[in-house]
Amino acid sequence: MKSSIYLIGPTFMIAMGLYAFENLLITFVLFYGWLAVISIRPGQLRKLGDFYKIKMGIISGIFFYVTIVTGVSIFFNLLIDPENVETLLAKWKFTGVGLILILIFINPFLEEMYWRGFIFERIRLKRGKKEAVLYSAFFYTIYHVLTVLLLFQWPVNILIVLPVFIVGLYWGWLREKSGSLAAVTISHMLADAGIMTVYLLFIQ
């Protein structure tokens, strides 16, 4: 029962913030508050790992950054309706450099501490490393569905979720392979930086 709550808790917080309150600040407080309270415990930060292990995180992060920015640049008209996105972000009060920095630095750190740290270790001990990679990627992807359903039109919203799941699998594999949360967090930061670059270049 407790494991199920841990798996769906982040999705519930996103749903409450975006669908019930329709406010990004409340969403951030609920979502990041959950991730921080559950995953950051005494000794947990030591699992970030040694920084000499971050090479694959940097390389993959740069790849994700370039892929996101280039892909959106090429397929922008097929993927994004700027007016719909602008309207929704305005409704959520998504403005300011502060929010962008939160999504680039705080979001990856807390998400990776939670999914590839706390959840990954919990599942690996009970079911094994393959299940840990799969479960952490799957439940990490679920709450992204709630966001893209609002931001993008069918069938683009579903297509956008698939890369999120694939990247989640990769980050789980990298976590297991490197034994480092630092590598995964850096890769995640660069991927999110790509998304924010798209926002600044094409939407703002």
Side-chain angles (χ1 to χ4, degrees), residues 1-192:
M1 179 65 178
K2 186 180 286 188
S3 294
S4 298
I5 292 172
Y6 288 144
L7 290 171
I8 66 172
T11 300
F12 178 76
M13 296 303 167
I14 292 284
M16 287 294 293
L18 293 185
Y19 288 81
F21 292 101
E22 296 184 338
N23 184 288
L24 201 61
L25 179 59
I26 293 175
T27 304
F28 279 2
V29 171
L30 291 173
F31 177 64
Y32 294 135
W34 176 277
L35 298 186
V37 168
I38 300 297
S39 64
I40 300 181
R41 300 178 179 187
Q44 186 76 2
L45 292 177
R46 288 198 296 271
K47 295 180 181 179
L48 281 171
D50 299 322
F51 279 86
Y52 71 86
K53 296 179 178 178
I54 67 175
K55 182 178 178 181
M56 283 303 297
I58 295 172
I59 293 171
S60 61
I62 292 172
F63 172 78
F64 294 144
Y65 179 92
V66 172
T67 301
I68 290 167
V69 175
T70 304
V72 173
S73 298
I74 295 172
F75 300 107
F76 180 78
N77 291 330
L78 294 174
L79 296 174
I80 298 174
D81 178 355
E83 291 184 8
N84 176 59
V85 174
E86 285 180 22
T87 300
L88 193 55
L89 292 179
K91 182 179 181 182
W92 290 345
K93 298 181 174 61
F94 183 90
T95 57
V97 175
L99 288 177
I100 294 172
L101 293 177
I102 286 172
L103 290 173
I104 294 176
F105 294 104
I106 295 181
N107 178 72
F109 173 74
L110 288 177
E111 284 192 324
E112 293 310 322
M113 287 292 290
Y114 190 84
W115 291 110
R116 259 62 67 172
F118 175 76
I119 293 294
F120 189 92
E121 289 295 328
R122 189 178 179 87
I123 296 174
R124 183 171 65 171
L125 290 173
K126 290 184 177 181
R127 297 177 177 267
K129 61 184 180 182
K130 290 183 180 178
E131 287 79 2
V133 171
L134 181 61
Y135 276 62
S136 60
F138 178 76
F139 285 95
Y140 164 76
T141 303
I142 286 180
Y143 60 79
H144 288 82
V145 174
L146 299 179
T147 305
V148 300
L149 282 176
L150 295 174
L151 286 171
F152 304 101
Q153 303 298 316
W154 171 269
V156 172
N157 45 24
I158 298 303
L159 293 176
I160 288 175
V161 170
L162 294 178
V164 174
F165 178 64
I166 293 169
V167 169
L169 290 174
Y170 170 76
W171 285 333
W173 172 85
L174 181 59
R175 165 70 178 88
E176 176 63 26
K177 188 75 173 177
S178 68
S180 169
L181 276 177
V184 181
T185 301
I186 288 172
S187 180
H188 194 155
M189 284 179 175
L190 288 167
D192 282 3

